[in-house]
Amino acid sequence: MFLLMLTGVEPEPWVAGFRRALPELEIRVWPDPGPPEAVAYALLWLQPHGLLGRFTGLKAVFSFGAGVDRILADPSIRPDIPIVRLIDPGLTTGMVEYVVHRVLHYHRRIPDYEAMQRRHDWRELEQPLPEDRTIGFLGLGVLGTACAQALAGLGFDVAGWSRTPKRLPGIECLHGETGFDALLARSDIVVALLPSTAETRGILGARAFARMKQGARFINVGRGSLVVDDDLLAALDRGHLAGATLDVFQVEPLAADHRFWSHPLVSVTPHVAAYSQPKTVVRTVSEQIRGFEAGRGLPHVVDRARGY
Ligand code: NDP
Ligand code: OXD
């Protein structure tokens, strides 16, 4: 049996899609798992913690999203159960669209023109070429690399930072502590696409913001826990950073009284940069289950010690 445990997601299209793609498996939706020992696979998004231990026949769990921090924080998933993270073309397309859109928004000075419109001010502002703007990616994984390549293709100067050394054509690849500082110091727009791990939580605090260029912009599409909120607000308030686009937050939904909502230099979206769509995700996960049942092993299994 395949159990869908998807908090905040309308289950109908998922159930219909998986019933079509995996007719040999019974598909059930939490909180109606049927006999617990019959659950062989589970698809998880914001699942209530502490429940998976009762599924004694569990063979593998699949993440509904690319980030697995919330799944890893659930102590009821036995250490021998593989956790498969989502690498999906629909998710990648969504992230590329979002990041390219926000980078172009800043690059083409749309915030300045919006302010001028409010003053009925008709003037042309100086416009740098993309090659004279550096976009720096913290995280050069599946999503960071796809976004970096899209922007390099538009002619931007692109750099990226990862845990291990990398080589990507047309992108300056940095790693380690010196690489982190170098990337922050040379980027006009910094895009965070790191997972939330013991090593990355709080990585974007006062020290990191101080290393960014005067007037830099910051886009966080990774995880809210990367950022020390008060330090980001302080960097914006003192004019060191010129803007922030935030899609992910320490606590989601973002509290109604959080300063991010109303800060004039902050754009907020409700964790929608990339989104899981039945059309592509059902195919991706069904192929993985079918391959596993045929003895081919599972791709993209999370390294629990590394945290992503
Ligand atoms: P990947 O696992 O493919 O890539 C993660 C990247 O982060 C890798 O380049 C990795 O380095 C780097 N990294 C991890 N830890 C460190 C560290 N300590 N120091 C330096 N670099 C580090 O993940 P994805 O690209 O698929 O996704 C990234 C994150 O984006 C997800 O974990 C999730 O949090 C977020 N996300 C947000 C969404 C949204 O809608 N806002 C949607 C989807 C994902 P290395 O290459 O060396 O391993
Ligand atoms: C995520 C996702 O991991 O939406 O945030 O896929």
Side-chain angles (χ1 to χ4, degrees):
M1 184 209 296
F2 185 21
L3 178 64
L4 312 185
M5 286 178 99
L6 307 174
T7 303
V9 176
E10 173 53 55
E12 290 320 317
W14 295 93
V15 174
F18 281 117
R19 285 199 175 131
R20 267 195 307 276
L22 293 169
E24 64 280 21
L25 272 185
E26 186 183 352
I27 312 294
R28 282 186 174 254
V29 179
W30 177 261
D32 176 24
E37 63 285 357
V39 176
Y41 304 104
L43 181 68
L44 306 178
W45 185 245
L46 307 179
Q47 83 281 5
H49 282 184
L51 299 177
L52 282 122
R54 72 178 70 170
F55 304 133
T56 50
L58 201 57
K59 298 186 204 169
V61 299
F62 296 81
S63 174
F64 184 76
V68 290
D69 41 304
R70 190 138 188 310
I71 293 180
L72 289 176
D74 183 344
S76 68
I77 306 178
R78 290 197 324 264
D80 58 307
I81 304 288
I83 300 171
V84 179
R85 75 184 204 92
L86 185 63
I87 297 181
D88 176 75
L91 204 65
T92 304
T93 301
M95 186 58 82
V96 170
E97 286 172 355
Y98 185 99
V99 170
V100 169
H101 169 252
R102 290 309 297 183
V103 165
L104 291 179
H105 176 82
Y106 290 134
H107 168 64
R108 292 305 309 268
R109 308 191 61 173
I110 301 301
D112 295 327
Y113 286 115
E114 284 171 346
M116 286 164 59
Q117 180 180 350
R118 288 191 286 277
R119 298 193 303 269
H120 300 197
D121 180 359
W122 178 281
R123 272 180 304 131
E124 190 176 322
L125 301 175
E126 193 190 322
Q127 176 60 56
L129 290 167
E131 68 198 44
D132 296 322
R133 282 263 203 230
T134 302
I135 318 301
F137 282 85
L138 298 172
L140 270 182
V142 172
L143 299 175
T145 298
C147 296
Q149 286 171 335
L151 288 163
L154 289 173
F156 287 95
D157 176 46
V158 181
W161 181 73
S162 52
R163 197 174 51 84
T164 54
K166 287 209 181 323
R167 270 201 205 172
L168 294 169
I171 293 162
E172 186 188 351
C173 296
L174 304 161
H175 68 281
E177 205 172 315
T178 49
F180 180 71
D181 287 353
L183 181 122
L184 297 179
R186 85 183 204 63
S187 300
D188 299 295
I189 302 176
V190 174
V191 183
L193 254 169
L194 291 165
S196 176
T197 70
E199 283 182 19
T200 62
R201 282 189 271 279
I203 197 169
L204 289 154
R207 179 187 173 282
F209 293 123
R211 275 176 168 65
M212 289 187 200
K213 274 185 177 174
Q214 168 72 40
R217 264 65 177 242
F218 172 60
I219 298 175
N220 187 14
V221 277
R223 279 291 180 264
S225 62
L226 305 174
V227 172
V228 182
D229 291 1
D230 286 343
D231 293 353
L232 172 56
L233 285 162
L236 290 161
D237 287 342
R238 68 170 193 279
H240 183 65
L241 294 187
T245 291
L246 306 176
D247 182 59
V248 284
F249 302 91
Q250 297 267 2
V251 177
E252 296 179 5
L254 183 62
D257 61 352
H258 199 291
R259 275 191 68 206
F260 285 152
W261 282 116
S262 51
H263 197 288
L265 297 178
V266 175
S267 293
V268 167
T269 48
H271 198 142
V272 292
Y275 36 85
S276 299
Q277 309 222 31
K279 190 170 177 187
T280 54
V281 175
V282 165
R283 191 170 54 225
T284 301
V285 174
S286 302
E287 279 167 8
Q288 289 169 345
I289 291 180
R290 201 161 288 121
F292 184 63
E293 288 283 315
R296 287 201 290 277
L298 289 166
H300 319 311
V301 173
V302 172
D303 178 336
R304 294 202 194 190
R306 211 177 56 170
Y308 67 100

